Structure formats: C-alpha cells, structure tokens
Amino acid sequence: MLRRFGESFRRFMYGRYGSDELNFALLIAAVAISLINLTLSRFLGGSFVYARIVSPILYLLILGLLGFSLARSLSRNIYARQKENRWFRRQWARIRDRNNRYYRCPKCSQTVRVPKGKGKISIHCPKCGEKFIKKT
C-alpha cells in the first residue's frame, strides 16, 4: 500500500519543479516567524493590539510563505523557478560576503564589487567606464 502511494506521488510530481534553496529558506522563514508569533503570544497574548492586529498579520505572512513555497514546488514552469532560485542564491551570496561592498554605477546601473575597509575610493565601472567615488 505504501509503495503504491509512493509510486502515485512520483507520477504526480513528474515534470514539476520540486524543492530548492529558496523553498528551504521560505520554510525556515515561516518557522522562524511562527516561533516569534508563539513567543509574542506568551508575553502579549492579552493585549488588544497584538490579538487584533499583529497576530493576524503574522499568521497571514506565515500562510503566504508556506503557500508560495508549495506553489513553487508544484509548478511546471521550471525555467521561471530556476531563475528565481538563481536570483536568491546571488542575493544570499552578497549577504554572506563580508570582504566586499556592492555599488551600482550611477550611469548604467551595473553592479560593481569593491573591497571593504579602503576608505574613499574612486570606482571605475567595467561596463560603461564611468568613474564615481564611494566610501567603503
């Protein structure tokens, strides 16, 4: 019986996107917000503002994150989901990069990476050649 269920689930998921790093991050965020909501309900449970405004907003945010994660997992548009995941991984790498700062060129909006802690430096855009000064 369990094998039959597993086989039908495999057939159902065939051609669908499945899970990736962005889905995992969405689930972690939903769990974290749920724990925050639980903690706040312990301390502020009797408060009118918390019970009528904050708690429903957090609850809807949790449902939205879980629904978005489920919709991404069941999506058949694999190209769009891969594009979203690439964007997420790029942003996550920028957050974790402690040695560099990222600036946008004022002329062409190209992202330029420069080392941190060098003070005021002149940045040369590799795409358009524009020079601009920023503090790292």
Side-chain angles (χ1 to χ4, degrees):
M1 172 143 162
L2 221 56
R3 188 169 40 212
R4 225 169 72 195
F5 174 74
E7 184 60 36
S8 30
F9 183 71
R10 263 188 236 94
R11 268 188 270 117
F12 172 73
M13 287 301 289
Y14 182 77
R16 298 181 190 272
Y17 186 62
S19 188
D20 60 6
E21 291 91 353
L22 178 54
N23 275 354
F24 186 69
L26 290 171
L27 292 175
I28 294 295
V31 168
I33 293 170
S34 178
L35 290 175
I36 290 169
N37 196 16
L38 180 67
T39 305
L40 288 176
S41 71
R42 292 280 183 199
F43 293 112
L44 305 173
S47 167
F48 177 80
V49 173
Y50 173 76
R52 298 290 182 192
I53 298 171
V54 176
S55 181
I57 289 173
L58 290 177
Y59 182 70
L60 288 174
L61 183 61
I62 292 166
L63 286 178
L65 289 172
L66 292 174
F68 184 57
S69 176
L70 182 64
R72 287 188 81 251
S73 293
L74 297 178
S75 173
R76 289 184 184 258
N77 190 349
I78 294 173
Y79 176 73
R81 303 297 82 84
Q82 287 174 340
K83 186 176 175 185
E84 291 168 354
N85 193 47
R86 273 194 306 273
W87 176 85
F88 170 74
R89 290 177 68 177
R90 197 171 329 133
Q91 298 306 317
W92 187 249
R94 284 180 65 175
I95 291 170
R96 296 196 62 200
D97 187 5
R98 290 186 171 89
N99 299 325
N100 298 302
R101 293 281 311 251
Y102 294 85
Y103 295 105
R104 288 213 176 259
C105 174
K107 188 174 180 183
C108 68
S109 298
Q110 171 75 27
T111 302
V112 182
R113 181 180 68 179
V114 295
K116 270 187 183 177
K118 300 293 182 184
K120 258 189 182 175
I121 61 171
S122 176
I123 303 169
H124 179 261
C125 177
K127 186 176 179 183
C128 68
E130 178 78 11
K131 288 187 179 180
F132 53 99
I133 297 174
K134 291 286 185 178
K135 182 180 175 186
T136 64

